[in-house]
Each structure stands twice: as C-alpha cells, then as structure tokens.
C-alpha cells in the first residue's frame, strides 16, 4: 500500500512540475562529457582543438554565481576578432560551459567562410561525447560540407564527403542564418546554436552547457 501511495505521489508531483514548467532535477554527470565539459582548463588547453586553432587566453571575467569565464581568441591577427571561445569554469575549476562565437561576416565570407566552418565543425565534434545523438554529428558534417567558398576544396583519398539530405537540419539553418535559434536538451548537457546582434555586428553562438 505504501509503495502505491508513493508511486501516485511521485506521478502527481511530475505532472505538477510539467504543468507549471518546472523540469525535474538531473543528477550531475559523474565524469567528463566529450573533450571539454567536466574537464579542467589545463586539460582543455592541451587539447588539439586549442592548439590547432592557436587559441590563447585574452581575459577573465567573474560571474555572479562564483563561476569564471575565460576568453580565448586566435593569436593570428586575421581571425583574432572573428572567432572567440568562452570557457566557463565552476568553483572546482572544472568546465561547465563551452561557447564558440563566430562573426556572421566571417561565416558569410566567400573567401574565409571555409575557415569559419572548419573551427565550427571542429568545436562541435570536440564537445560531443561518444554517445551523442546523430543530430549533432550530422550538424558537424553539414557545417563542414555545406559551406560555400570561393577557395578550392581538396578531399584526400579515403575521406569521401558524407551523404547529406537535400534539406538542411534545423540546427544548420541557424548556422546558415535562416533560423534564429535551435536547442537540444540531453540527459546531462544542453546544446544550443543561435544568432544574435552584438553592439556593432551580428554573431553566431554555439554552446554546450552542463545541466
């Protein structure tokens, strides 16, 4: 009898939370997610993504909740202000949010847009855990292979272009500037891609956040 009463109470509580828009609390992940979430900043900085794109710390900003934002930018002058990575760490010095910001002018550039797609695709793949949904892996392929550029694209032997559907995914439509926002909630993290207007330009944000 007691178990049935408890089950009914739990079901009622879940229905009440859904009715008023409150999500049930999810236990924190026990270990790392992908190459960055729940890793230390030192580990992240040694990752191939940071080294390949020559990302260096440019500033730190405290957050009201005690977290800290660490901003990284490419060391090269050409792309220094076009691509920005923002790493948020918690009180245990572990990463709980990764964000890549790309200028829309960078993405749309006939000449340099291919470099924007390269860092965008690489960021998504580095953040994904092994059990990531196919939707997000498809997005990485779309960013890499739907890109338009005036530069020649050379694909080496053994690396054929993936077969993509004729219609782009909703997430990629955000990358392309067609949609404003797309988000996916997963058991331990949230993925979001969105367009926004900054003070003097338009930007694309891609983020992974521990829930």
């Amino acid at each position: 009898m007691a178990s049935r009463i408890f089950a009914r109470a739990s079901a009622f509580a879940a229905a009440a939370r859904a009715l008023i828009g409150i999500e049930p609390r999810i236990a924190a992940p026990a270990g790392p997610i992908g190459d960055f979430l729940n890793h230390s900043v030192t580990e992240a900085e040694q990752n191939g993504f940071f080294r390949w794109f020559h990302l260096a710390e440019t500033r730190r900003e405290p957050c009201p909740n005690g977290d800290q934002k660490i901003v990284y930018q490419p060391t090269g002058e050409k792309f220094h202000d076009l691509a920005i990575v923002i790493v948020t760490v918690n009180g245990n010095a572990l990463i709980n949010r990764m964000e890549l910001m790309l200028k829309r002018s960078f993405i749309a550039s006939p000449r340099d847009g291919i470099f924007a797609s390269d860092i965008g695709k690489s960021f998504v793949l580095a953040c994904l855990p092994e059990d990531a949904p196919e939707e997000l892996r498809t997005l990485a392929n779309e960013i890499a292979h739907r890109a338009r550029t005036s530069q020649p694209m050379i694909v080496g032997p053994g690396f054929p272009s993936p077969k993509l559907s004729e219609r782009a995914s909703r997430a990629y439509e955000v990358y392309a500037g067609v949609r404003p926002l797309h988000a996916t909630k997963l058991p331990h993290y949230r993925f979001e891609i969105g367009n926004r207007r900054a003070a003097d330009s338009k930007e694309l944000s891609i983020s992974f956040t521990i829930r």
Side-chain angles (χ1 to χ4, degrees):
M1 175 67 72
S3 61
R4 287 199 299 270
I5 293 174
F6 178 78
R8 289 174 183 171
S10 298
F12 177 79
R17 286 194 299 267
L19 183 63
I20 62 177
I22 298 177
E23 297 182 358
R25 295 190 66 179
I26 298 173
I33 299 174
D35 287 352
F36 299 129
L37 294 182
N38 250 9
H39 286 268
S40 69
V41 172
T42 301
E43 289 177 288
E45 290 177 340
Q46 296 304 311
N47 185 274
F49 172 78
F50 276 74
R51 289 181 291 155
W52 179 257
F53 293 103
H54 303 284
L55 297 171
E57 181 182 331
T58 54
R59 65 182 185 277
R60 296 194 175 210
E61 303 171 359
C63 301
N65 64 353
D67 290 353
Q68 186 176 50
K69 289 183 179 181
I70 309 174
V71 179
Y72 296 82
Q73 293 172 257
T75 55
E77 182 179 352
K78 183 175 182 180
F79 301 126
H80 182 75
D81 295 323
L82 301 179
I84 299 174
V85 174
I86 303 173
V87 179
T88 304
V89 297
N90 59 24
N92 295 321
L94 296 177
I95 297 170
N96 58 24
R97 177 178 168 83
M98 290 288 298
E99 180 181 17
L100 170 67
M101 293 171 54
L102 298 173
K103 297 289 187 182
R104 287 238 51 106
S105 59
F106 185 26
I107 297 171
S109 169
R111 181 178 180 84
D112 295 331
I114 193 66
F115 300 110
S117 68
D118 189 22
I119 191 171
K121 172 261 303 182
S122 300
F123 177 79
V124 171
L125 289 177
C127 287
L128 292 182
E130 291 184 3
D131 61 350
E134 192 61 29
E135 169 196 359
L136 297 184
R137 297 196 182 279
T138 297
L139 172 63
N141 282 329
E142 288 183 298
I143 292 174
H145 296 281
R146 290 193 194 274
R148 297 290 181 264
T149 177
S150 61
Q151 298 291 87
M153 294 181 66
I154 300 173
V155 179
F159 295 94
S161 298
K163 291 184 178 180
L164 301 173
S165 64
E166 290 187 11
R167 178 167 182 174
S169 68
R170 291 186 177 184
Y172 183 78
E173 286 182 341
V174 178
Y175 182 86
V178 177
R179 287 180 180 269
L181 179 70
H182 178 76
T184 301
K185 293 180 181 178
L186 295 145
H188 294 299
Y189 64 98
R190 171 186 171 91
F191 165 79
E192 185 173 298
I193 181 170
N195 289 296
R196 61 194 184 199
R197 184 179 293 276
D200 58 349
S201 64
K202 295 179 180 179
E203 299 173 340
L204 175 82
S205 167
I206 306 175
S207 66
F208 292 80
T209 308
I210 289 181
R211 296 182 61 196

